[in-house]
Amino acid sequence: MVSALGMTAVLGGCGSTGSSDVTLRLVAADYGDSAANSSKKYWDALAKEYEKQHSDVKVEVSVYSWNDVDRKVKEMVDAGHAPDMAQIGAYADYAAAGKLYPVSDLLSIRTQADFLSPLSDAGQWKHTQYGIPFAASTRVLFYNKTLFAKAHLTAPTTWDELAADATALKAQGVKYPYALPLGPEEAQAETMQWLLGGGNGGSGYTDDVGTYTIDSATNVETFTWLKDELVGKGLTGPVAPGKLNRAAAFAAFADGQVGMVNGHPTLIQQAAKKGVQFGTVPMPGRTGRARASMGVADWMMGFKQNGHAEQIGDFLDFVYSEKNVLDFSRKYGLLPVTSSASNTMAASDAAADKALRPFLEQLPTSELYPVGKTSWAAVSAAVKQNIGQAVAPGGSPAGVLTRLQSTAMAADSSSAS
């Protein structure tokens, strides 16, 4: 999961947008886990507040679960009935099809300037920003303080220390010394965090100019190390990494069965509910702290079909005010995507805000998936289905990464044609 944005040039109360009786339709994802905290309540309250100050604009919001929302928007667009705005998981396909407004056509300069730069950069397709970051998160290493104290361990700062800690935890009978979820639910996330920690600064899935480098020598070395030093030595638990999903890994951590796991902010509440005493540190790298944490963002976008650029922009300036960004972030335990809201949260003494600081500190220098590439969806799906084979007994890290690189290059070529 991920979080909200920025600062507004004009916070409502400024009267008409210059037209009358416009209805804006927004489709949004649900970040809640029950009817009581559904995002529908957040959006309805926000729309009502905006409409009070803009009598000529009505905002209709439809909220769908993450299982359905991307498909719902695609169906609407394919049927020729695009919403005015969508808050979903990806924007690049719609940008490439010419269906979205550039962000500069919508938002005030002040709002645009407030976004954290890695998120603004990730919202670009062909050097123009179309995706507006809405929600964000980063990853840190969670460790079970009780299990670590029992084994007289300190939190690791390098891969070798992580492996040594995992070995000591295994000797204490810990079920998952390190939980390595490379199953099909979210393997692309665990994979990227390890790639970013590889030797020579670890490049992730692409190089500095956006070319896929999945089978780079550094990445092959990373997965060879994982296969030989963690998986091969039985330090990743009784379930094979390729069959372990993130949800199951998080649940096992909350049950006290995991020594270490790479996690995002939702694990804080999940573990706390079960009474697990845990600590967090930056994810270790090959020889020290990883070059960057993996960041994740969800996206807001404005569709051109209905021609409401002025009204969409004014509403989104309101949505991305510091107050509204903070309200959403705090409600769902996510990170603000603007500097103003991030600075306010970082300075806060509230317990919930303080709990997010380890994640918040990493966001400005985090590295996101290559979401500006229309090929990324296909590449991500291939990673989810195949990366577990790279660390399986008899598996070939080089062979699996080479096949994934071929898939990526073919998908890139197809999307460009």
Side-chain angles (χ1 to χ4, degrees):
M1 288 177 84
V2 281
S3 194
L5 316 134
M7 190 61 188
T8 180
V10 185
L11 293 185
C14 48
S16 171
T17 57
S19 61
S20 60
D21 302 322
V22 169
T23 297
L24 296 178
R25 293 178 174 83
L26 165 65
V27 177
D30 197 347
Y31 290 83
D33 55 13
S34 67
N37 70 346
S38 170
S39 296
K40 176 71 172 167
K41 288 188 173 182
Y42 173 84
W43 283 113
D44 284 350
L46 205 64
K48 186 176 181 180
E49 184 180 353
Y50 182 78
E51 289 169 357
K52 280 182 184 177
Q53 303 164 13
H54 300 79
S55 59
D56 53 349
V57 178
K58 181 175 177 56
V59 182
E60 294 181 354
V61 185
S62 301
V63 174
Y64 298 97
S65 77
W66 275 109
N67 293 329
D68 300 323
V69 68
D70 290 282
R71 175 176 54 82
K72 288 283 188 182
V73 171
K74 184 177 187 303
E75 289 172 354
M76 294 171 72
V77 173
D78 289 349
H81 301 295
D84 295 285
M85 296 164 285
Q87 186 270 299
I88 52 179
Y91 67 86
D93 284 351
Y94 298 122
K99 296 185 180 297
L100 301 181
Y101 284 113
V103 173
S104 59
D105 286 0
L106 300 175
L107 300 179
S108 68
I109 293 173
R110 187 177 180 186
T111 300
Q112 291 180 69
D114 199 28
F115 296 137
L116 295 168
S117 59
L119 304 181
S120 293
D121 292 346
Q124 294 182 8
W125 179 76
K126 291 194 172 179
H127 310 295
T128 298
Q129 186 180 353
Y130 294 91
I132 308 170
F134 182 75
S137 72
T138 58
R139 303 295 171 100
V140 299
L141 183 71
F142 284 73
Y143 65 97
N144 184 308
K145 284 187 172 181
T146 304
L147 297 178
F148 266 60
K150 185 178 178 182
H152 307 290
L153 300 175
T154 56
T157 60
T158 66
W159 288 0
D160 286 345
E161 290 176 7
L162 186 149
D165 285 352
T167 301
L169 291 168
K170 182 180 181 182
Q172 294 282 344
V174 176
K175 191 173 181 181
Y176 295 90
Y178 180 87
L180 184 67
L182 295 178
E185 179 191 2
E186 205 188 30
Q188 83 285 2
E190 183 73 17
T191 296
M192 183 165 172
Q193 190 63 71
W194 283 97
L195 296 184
L196 289 172
N200 302 316
S203 65
Y205 290 109
T206 61
D207 61 18
D208 290 341
V209 295
T211 302
Y212 284 113
T213 54
I214 297 172
D215 64 345
S216 70
T218 297
N219 290 348
V220 171
E221 289 172 4
T222 292
F223 267 82
T224 300
W225 187 92
L226 277 174
K227 181 176 185 292
D228 294 346
E229 302 301 325
L230 281 188
V231 182
K233 293 182 178 179
L235 302 178
T236 55
V239 177
K243 296 182 178 179
L244 181 66
N245 282 327
R246 175 186 55 80
F250 281 16
F253 185 86
D255 285 338
Q257 300 174 340
V258 173
M260 296 171 279
V261 66
N262 179 28
H264 55 60
T266 59
L267 186 53
I268 294 174
Q269 295 179 350
Q270 192 173 346
K273 284 179 183 177
K274 293 290 192 76
V276 171
Q277 299 296 311
F278 63 89
T280 62
V281 292
M283 186 68 182
R286 186 72 183 257
T287 57
R289 181 171 175 171
R291 178 177 65 80
S293 173
M294 189 194 75
V296 182
D298 295 330
W299 303 96
M300 179 72 76
M301 61 212 70
F303 284 87
K304 296 195 296 189
Q305 180 177 328
N306 302 316
H308 295 148
E310 186 178 356
Q311 293 83 6
I312 291 170
D314 191 73
F315 176 65
L316 291 180
D317 276 341
F318 173 75
V319 168
Y320 287 123
S321 70
E322 181 181 337
K323 173 188 178 297
N324 290 332
V325 169
L326 283 169
D327 284 350
F328 183 87
S329 301
R330 287 166 170 161
K331 185 174 181 64
Y332 296 107
L334 296 167
L335 304 181
V337 296
T338 58
S339 296
S340 58
S342 294
N343 291 340
T344 298
M345 183 177 279
S348 169
D349 289 327
D353 288 345
K354 290 169 76 172
L356 290 172
R357 279 183 193 164
F359 304 91
L360 194 63
E361 289 168 358
Q362 297 188 131
L363 188 57
T365 57
S366 63
E367 184 162 320
L368 281 73
Y369 300 130
V371 290
K373 297 172 76 66
T374 55
S375 56
W376 170 242
V379 175
S380 176
V383 172
K384 290 179 182 180
Q385 293 300 320
N386 297 294
I387 197 64
Q389 300 169 17
V391 297
S396 166
V400 171
L401 294 180
T402 297
R403 289 195 296 275
L404 287 171
Q405 176 70 11
S406 296
T407 298
M409 296 302 286
D412 223 18
S413 177
S414 175
S415 67
S417 61

